[in-house]
Amino acid sequence: MSTPLTSEQQRLADRSRLRRALNASLGFVLLLAVCFAAQHGFDFRFLTVTPRSVEGLLGVLTAPLLHGSVEHIVANGIAMLMLGTLAGTVYPKATVRALPLLWIGSGLGAWLLGNAGSHHLGASGVTHGLGFLVFVLGLLRRDRAAIAAGMLAFLFYGGMLMTILPREAGVSWESHLGGAIGGVIAAFLFRRADPQAAKPKYSWEIEEELARQQGDADRAMYETEAARDVPVLWNREGSDAERGKVLPFRRLGE
């Protein structure tokens, strides 16, 4: 059984998790920037998801690294930085285990549901998966950190609930939907991957517990546990008779 952390140790552990999650998210955003700079040197369409074609399956692995414009990569980079840091801080183990599901789910959603001949690229499906992962874990775990993370994610990216459906031409809602489904599945699979913090007790809960313990001690001191512990004040004649046997009484006049 692990020893509970002190408040100072807990703060240091929280800062360490935040630093690791932020660094990992920044590293991934830098990787996206490097890929965006490199993709203009060649025809990268073979690395995108082309729905329902065997060649297009390669894009399931590579399409999230590609982007079509500066605005595209900036929007996805900011979302990845914020949601990746949030998820990695609150759920470090669940987030690492969920990433393959989000990544592949995003690509498969585009490959299965997209229009034939179209090309899908971008990390928005992965960011939708992170958003739905945080949303659903907040509903499943319901501790303070989970609820706070879910509310923050909904505050900044609640619109993801709408962008998993077709709304705007040129936006790959199919990859959004695939990533969101991957996030929901991952939330159910890995909801216990990260231990929940001990729930602090309110003052009235502590007082009730102390009163209950005192009441148990009083009962143990002043009350007997069973009727057999009551001392016998009178024994009827023939005490060797069967215990509990009812004595016969004669009727009047007999």
Side-chain angles (χ1 to χ4, degrees):
M1 185 175 180
S2 59
T3 305
L5 300 178
T6 64
S7 58
E8 182 61 27
Q9 290 174 331
Q10 187 63 52
R11 281 194 295 270
L12 292 176
D14 293 341
R15 290 176 184 173
S16 178
R17 284 203 314 273
L18 173 60
R19 190 181 304 110
R20 288 195 301 268
L22 179 60
N23 290 337
S25 301
L26 278 173
F28 184 76
V29 172
L30 290 176
L31 175 62
L32 294 182
V34 171
C35 293
F36 181 71
Q39 73 186 49
H40 296 289
F42 61 97
D43 185 1
F44 58 85
R45 283 180 294 180
F46 74 98
L47 297 175
T48 62
V49 176
T50 306
R52 295 183 296 282
S53 69
V54 177
E55 298 81 6
L57 282 174
L58 176 62
V60 172
L61 300 177
T62 58
L65 299 174
L66 307 173
H67 290 83
S69 65
V70 174
E71 294 79 6
H72 190 197
I73 191 174
V74 168
N76 285 342
I78 294 174
M80 181 63 66
L81 183 61
M82 294 184 65
L83 291 174
T85 302
L86 181 62
T89 300
V90 184
Y91 315 109
K93 294 181 180 179
T95 301
V96 171
R97 298 176 186 179
L99 275 176
L101 285 177
L102 312 184
W103 195 284
I104 295 174
S106 170
L108 287 180
W111 191 83
L112 292 172
L113 302 175
N115 297 323
S118 59
H119 297 276
H120 298 254
L121 68 163
S124 56
V126 180
T127 60
H128 277 66
L130 286 172
F132 275 79
L133 175 71
V134 176
F135 292 156
V136 179
L137 282 177
L139 296 175
L140 294 177
R141 292 169 59 102
R142 289 180 290 182
D143 57 85
R144 292 182 179 180
I147 293 173
M151 293 178 66
L152 284 173
F154 186 80
L155 175 64
F156 290 103
Y157 289 99
M160 287 181 172
L161 298 173
M162 300 300 297
T163 53
I164 60 174
L165 300 175
R167 296 184 62 197
E168 184 179 349
V171 176
S172 179
W173 65 270
E174 299 92 343
S175 65
H176 298 174
L177 179 60
I181 293 174
V184 173
I185 294 174
F188 278 93
L189 291 177
F190 308 126
R191 63 186 182 276
R192 296 188 180 91
D194 297 282
Q196 290 181 279
K199 182 181 178 182
K201 293 184 178 181
Y202 295 100
S203 58
W204 59 268
E205 291 178 311
I206 298 175
E207 291 173 358
E208 284 187 354
E209 184 176 342
L210 292 175
R212 192 180 305 112
Q213 293 174 356
Q214 184 62 38
D216 293 340
D218 292 342
R219 280 192 294 273
M221 181 180 298
Y222 298 111
E223 297 181 12
T224 57
E225 294 183 359
R228 64 177 177 271
D229 297 327
V230 178
V232 177
L233 301 179
W234 171 78
N235 286 319
R236 61 188 173 89
E237 295 181 0
S239 57
D240 294 335
E242 183 181 352
R243 184 177 179 88
K245 183 177 181 180
V246 178
L247 296 176
F249 289 89
R250 295 181 179 180
R251 296 182 179 180
L252 294 176
E254 293 184 359

